[in-house]
Structure formats: structure tokens, C-alpha cells
């Protein structure tokens, strides 16, 4: 199995900027799946962190890599609809899948993911796990990580995202193609409202804030 300890202190490959003779940005250089700008967790606002936890892993701060409740729900769903293994993945499991395990849809891969997620939790703090996750996840519009997603959808840094903007971006983690606001606006809006509702349930935003309309995105 891959060594989860090698994730400690990891910073993923990112994007470089080339400047012209006057010091202005001329172009960007990156390899496929590395169009990201790494940002430390200290520069990612609580609204972003809260939105992803609400959307993807409500018990992130309590579990040790695997959420047994989510696995039971997924197991029952798989019994009802055999075939492709369903959900139940925590943020730590998603990190394991993205960086160490791969995306093949098999029960063997799912088992590896669970084992490695538990190993990650033994070697990294919750803050380190969340920092890696928020910088590695693909969020559509060719952007990996919350910084490039913030720039790609709203033309600003992740540090300037509002709670509604954070909710829209966090909602994309479940399926950036399926919930793509450029092609499936109604799906994106439904997912956005769901994330806001979860954030209100977690009491990180008010019930009034949970009624915020879909934020305006920049053209793509």
C-alpha cells in the first residue's frame, strides 16, 4: 500500500507565471492536473473550510478517517442498487483516493482507500489533511484547489470568498461535471442551496444567510 506518511509536509506541483519585460503576467505554465496555486490553510477563510466540511464530511473533526455512519448508509444503498460502489467517503478518504489510491471503481480500491485514510489520520493533523484536500481537489473550469477555483469562478483570491461563493465552490466537489454551473445551472443551484442548508444546520451561517441567491460568476 502507498505510504500515507509521505503526505506530511507535501506541497503539490503548481502553476508558474511567466512575466514580460515590464514585469506583467505574460502567460501561465503548468502540467495537466497541476493548474493550482498552493495556499496555506491560514489563508483559507473559515467560510471556505466550513462549506466543504458541511458539504462533504459533517463529522470530519470527530472521525478518524472513516465515518462508520456514512459507510452503513452507503452499504444499504449498494444492497438496494448493486453495481458501482456508492459514497460514504470522508474528506480523508477523498484525499487518499486523489493522491494515493486512484479512481478505479472497485471494492478492492475502496478497501485500500479506507485503510490508507485511517493511516493518514494517524500521521497528519486535521488541519494538515484539510489543507492538502483544499489544494488538491478538482473543482471544474480547469481548476485544481480552492485558490484557482476562486479565481476561475469569481475572479478573486480564495481569501476574499464570501459564504455564498464558498458554498457554490464546495458544492462542486461532489461532481464538478454533474453540477457544472456553466452547463447545468439548475443542478448547481440545487446543490448550492443544499450546501447552504447544511451550513445553517452546522450553525456556521444564519438561517437568513442560507437564503442567499446564487452568487454572480464571471464568464468562462
Amino acid at each position: 500500500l502507498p505510504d500515507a506518511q509521505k503526505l506530511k509536509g507535501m506541497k503539490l506541483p503548481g502553476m508558474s507565471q511567466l512575466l514580460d519585460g515590464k514585469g506583467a503576467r505574460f502567460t501561465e505554465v503548468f502540467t495537466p492536473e497541476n493548474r493550482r496555486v498552493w495556499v496555506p490553510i491560514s489563508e483559507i477563510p473559515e467560510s471556505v473550510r466550513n462549506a466543504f466540511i458541511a458539504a462533504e464530511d459533517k463529522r470530519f473533526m470527530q472521525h478518524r478517517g472513516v465515518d462508520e455512519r456514512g459507510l452503513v448508509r452507503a452499504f444499504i444503498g449498494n444492497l438496494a442498487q448493486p453495481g458501482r460502489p456508492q459514497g460514504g467517503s470522508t474528506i480523508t478518504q477523498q484525499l487518499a483516493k486523489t493522491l494515493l489510491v486512484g479512481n478505479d471503481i472497485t471494492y478492492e480500491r475502496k478497501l485500500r482507500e479506507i485503510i490508507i485514510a485511517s493511516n493518514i489520520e494517524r500521521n497528519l493533523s486535521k488541519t494538515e489533511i484539510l489543507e492538502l484536500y483544499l489544494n488538491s481537489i478538482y473543482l471544474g473550469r480547469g481548476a485544481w484547489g480552492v485558490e484557482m477555483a476562486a479565481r476561475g469562478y469569481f475572479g478573486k483570491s480564495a481569501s476574499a470568498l464570501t459564504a455564498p461563493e464558498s458554498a457554490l465552490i464546495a458544492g462542486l466537489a461532489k461532481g464538478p461535471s454533474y453540477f457544472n454551473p456553466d452547463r447545468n445551472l439548475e443542478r448547481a443551484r440545487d446543490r448550492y442551496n443544499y450546501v447552504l442548508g447544511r451550513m445553517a444546520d452546522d450553525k456556521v451561517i444564519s438561517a437568513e444567510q442560507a437564503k442567499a441567491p446564487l452568487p454572480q460568476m464571471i464568464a468562462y
Side-chain angles (χ1 to χ4, degrees), residues 143-214:
W144 278 260
V146 295
E147 178 65 21
M148 289 308 299
R151 298 182 190 184
Y153 288 99
F154 298 110
K156 61 173 70 174
S157 171
S159 63
L161 289 173
T162 65
E165 291 165 347
S166 301
L168 187 145
I169 289 176
L172 296 169
K174 190 173 183 67
S177 294
Y178 187 80
F179 295 108
N180 183 332
D182 302 308
R183 296 196 302 266
N184 302 297
L185 186 59
E186 286 309 308
R187 286 180 191 167
R189 182 179 284 110
D190 289 344
R191 180 67 180 165
Y192 163 76
N193 288 330
Y194 167 80
V195 176
L196 283 181
R198 291 292 297 266
M199 292 174 74
D201 290 343
D202 291 348
K203 302 189 185 315
V204 294
I205 62 172
S206 67
E208 191 62 32
Q209 287 176 301
K211 299 176 184 177
L214 194 73

Side-chain angles (χ1 to χ4, degrees), residues 15-18 25-30 35 148 151:
M15 183 179 70
S16 299
Q17 289 189 354
L18 297 183
R25 185 177 69 85
F26 174 67
T27 190
E28 297 168 345
V29 178
F30 54 90
R35 188 171 181 264
M148 289 308 299
R151 298 182 190 184

Side-chain angles (χ1 to χ4, degrees), residues 60-158:
F60 173 68
M61 299 306 297
Q62 286 77 49
H63 65 65
R64 299 304 301 166
V66 178
D67 186 353
E68 292 81 4
R69 299 177 193 176
L71 282 178
V72 169
R73 287 193 300 270
F75 177 73
I76 293 172
N78 288 331
L79 286 179
Q81 294 182 315
R84 175 174 174 149
Q86 298 298 309
S89 291
T90 63
I91 280 175
T92 314
Q93 286 175 254
Q94 292 179 49
L95 180 64
K97 179 175 67 174
T98 299
L99 298 184
L100 296 174
V101 178
N103 289 312
D104 55 307
I105 309 300
T106 65
Y107 283 100
E108 179 185 359
R109 192 276 299 163
K110 191 72 174 178
L111 181 60
R112 292 200 310 272
E113 174 190 301
I114 290 170
I115 294 170
I116 292 170
S118 297
N119 194 11
I120 288 173
E121 292 270 354
R122 287 194 295 270
N123 286 283
L124 276 68
S125 69
K126 290 289 186 180
T127 299
E128 290 171 324
I129 292 168
L130 194 58
E131 181 176 88
L132 275 168
Y133 173 78
L134 293 175
N135 280 287
S136 64
I137 190 167
Y138 181 65
L139 294 164
R141 288 196 175 186
W144 278 260
V146 295
E147 178 65 21
M148 289 308 299
R151 298 182 190 184
Y153 288 99
F154 298 110
K156 61 173 70 174
S157 171

